[in-house]
C-alpha cells in the first residue's frame, strides 16, 4: 500500500524560530493535506493543496505541493507556544475504483516549543 | 469545533467484549470515515460510508463492522475485543464521496481501552 515518510519525527525549538517539516511518498498524490492534532483531540485541517507546485499560506503557516506530486512541506514561521502539537501530512490519491479516495497519513511530527 | 461529534469520549472494557462507537457527521455531509490511531501504527483508515452505502474499505478487521443510518449518523462495532484494539478511534465526515476538494473533517475521537 501507499506509505508516507514524514520527517522529522520530533522537534524542539525556541519560541520565535521557524519550523520546517516534510513528507515524501513513493506514489503520486492528487491532494496533500496538513493536519494538527492536540492531545486528546482529533486532527484539525490546517492547509489543503490541490495542484502540483501550489504554494498556500494560512497565517504563519505555508505549505507546498511538490512538482513531482510525491512530496509536500509545511513551514511555520515565528513559532509560538500554542504551535505545540503533532502535525500530520496526508495524501489522497487518484480514483481507481472503490477505496481509492482514502487518506494516507504520515506518522506525524511532534513539535515542542520552548518559551 | 469541526461539527463532527463522537460518543462516548472514553470507553473501558474487557477482552472478548463488544462495543459500539457512534459518530454524527457535520450537517450536510454525506460521507463518514472511520480511522484507528495507535501509537505504533499512526492513523489508519478503516472504512467509509457514503449516503448509507459502504464506499471504501481499508485495514478493517473482520471483527469490526460499521453502518450508516438514514439520518447519516454512523456506528462502528468492535467485537471479540483484544488488548491490541486499545486505540483512539476517529470519525471524519465530508460533503461528497471524496476526491477533488472534498475535505475530511475529524471528530474529537473515542479512546478505547481494553483491559
Amino acid at each position: 500500500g501507499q506509505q508516507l515518510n514524514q520527517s522529522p519525527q520530533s522537534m524542539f525549538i525556541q519560541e520565535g524560530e521557524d519550523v520546517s517539516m516534510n513528507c515524501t511518498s513513493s506514489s503520486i498524490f492528487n491532494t496533500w493535506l496538513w493536519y494538527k492534532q492536540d492531545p486528546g483531540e482529533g486532527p484539525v485541517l490546517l492547509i489543503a493543496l490541490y495542484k502540483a507546485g501550489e504554494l498556500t499560506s494560512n497565517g504563519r503557516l505555508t505549505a507546498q505541493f511538490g512538482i513531482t506530486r510525491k512530496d509536500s512541506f509545511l513551514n511555520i514561521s515565528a513559532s509560538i507556544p500554542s504551535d505545540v502539537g503533532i502535525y500530520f501530512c496526508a495524501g489522497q490519491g487518484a480514483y481507481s475504483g472503490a477505496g481509492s479516495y482514502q487518506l494516507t497519513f504520515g506518522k506525524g511530527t511532534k513539535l515542542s516549543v520552548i518559551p | 469545533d469541526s461539527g463532527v461529534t463522537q460518543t462516548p469520549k472514553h470507553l473501558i472494557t474487557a477482552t472478548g467484549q463488544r462495543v459500539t462507537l457512534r459518530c454524527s457527521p457535520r450537517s450536510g455531509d454525506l460521507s463518514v470515515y472511520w480511522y484507528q490511531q495507535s501509537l505504533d501504527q499512526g492513523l489508519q483508515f478503516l472504512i467509509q460510508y457514503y449516503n448509507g452505502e459502504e464506499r471504501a474499505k481499508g485495514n478493517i478487521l473482520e471483527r469490526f463492522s460499521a453502518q450508516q443510518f438514514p439520518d447519516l449518523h454512523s456506528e462502528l462495532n468492535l467485537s471479540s475485543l483484544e488488548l491490541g484494539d486499545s486505540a483512539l478511534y476517529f470519525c471524519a465526515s465530508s460533503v461528497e464521496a471524496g476526491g477533488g476538494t472534498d475535505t475530511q473533517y475529524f471528530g474529537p475521537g473515542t479512546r478505547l481501552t481494553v483491559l
Side-chain angles (χ1 to χ4, degrees), chain B residues 2-18:
Chain B
S2 66
V4 179
T5 60
Q6 288 187 248
T7 57
K9 189 149 179 74
H10 301 278
L11 199 48
I12 300 174
T13 188
T15 54
Q17 295 298 305
R18 172 190 169 94

Side-chain angles (χ1 to χ4, degrees), chain B residues 61-80:
Chain B
L61 299 172
E62 284 192 11
R63 300 183 285 110
F64 296 0
S65 65
Q67 54 185 326
Q68 186 178 29
F69 295 87
D71 67 353
L72 300 177
H73 91 270
S74 177
E75 292 181 355
L76 178 68
N77 300 298
L78 314 176
S79 61
S80 302

Side-chain angles (χ1 to χ4, degrees), chain A residues 50-68:
Chain A
Y50 302 110
K51 291 182 187 175
E54 180 181 355
L55 184 72
T56 297
S57 293
N58 178 6
R60 294 178 296 105
L61 277 60
T62 302
Q64 185 157 30
F65 191 146
I67 289 290
T68 65

